[in-house]
Amino acid sequence: MAKTAKTAKTAKTAKTARIPSAAIAAGGLVGGFGVARWTKKRQLGGVVLAAAGAAAAQQWRQQAGGKAAGALTAAYVAAFAGSHPLAKKVGAWPSVFGVAGAVALASWAVADRRVQDLP
């Protein structure tokens, strides 16, 4: 009986939809900025940014390994930092969307694409 329950749990887990790490990372950058802007509490935006970054990093590690996860995490942090000077040239929202898109593309290329290719 326990074996049947375990098999049912495994089947349910396999059917569960997984949010791509590219969407989590991009959502963290856009969501973190949006929360900070609309609440006027930068720390709250930072919590959103950090939580999404941690969730994405966990998926990156599982999908592509530690070195790739480290590189993508560095890209995530660099995108956050780089969005500030870029915002002075193109505006706040275009800057955030631009860096979020860049991180999402890198995440898909390094980690998510591999998962989609699996049978």
Side-chain angles (χ1 to χ4, degrees), residues 1 5 11 18 20-21 25 41-42 48 52 56 74 89 92 95-96 99-100 106-107 110 113 118:
M1 189 79 105
R18 183 188 59 81
S21 60
K41 296 188 186 312
R42 294 178 72 185
V48 172
K89 296 180 188 266
S95 172
V96 170
V99 300
S107 178
V110 173
R113 178 176 58 161
L118 296 177

Side-chain angles (χ1 to χ4, degrees), residues 18 21 60-66 68 107-119:
R18 183 188 59 81
S21 60
W60 292 329
R61 192 174 316 108
Q62 290 171 351
Q63 294 170 1
S107 178
W108 175 82
V110 173
D112 292 333
R113 178 176 58 161
R114 291 178 177 202
V115 173
Q116 291 174 355
D117 289 344
L118 296 177

Side-chain angles (χ1 to χ4, degrees), residues 6 9 13 20 25 30 40 42 54 57 59-61 65 74-75 77 80 87 91-93 101 105 109 111-113:
K6 185 177 180 181
K9 184 178 180 182
T13 303
V30 173
K40 300 193 186 324
R42 294 178 72 185
Q59 279 194 18
W60 292 329
R61 192 174 316 108
V77 172
F80 167 70
W93 281 110
L105 180 61
D112 292 333
R113 178 176 58 161

Side-chain angles (χ1 to χ4, degrees), residues 21-45:
S21 60
I24 295 171
L29 289 162
V30 173
F33 176 71
V35 166
R37 183 131 188 198
W38 291 315
T39 64
K40 300 193 186 324
K41 296 188 186 312
R42 294 178 72 185
Q43 299 87 348
L44 193 54

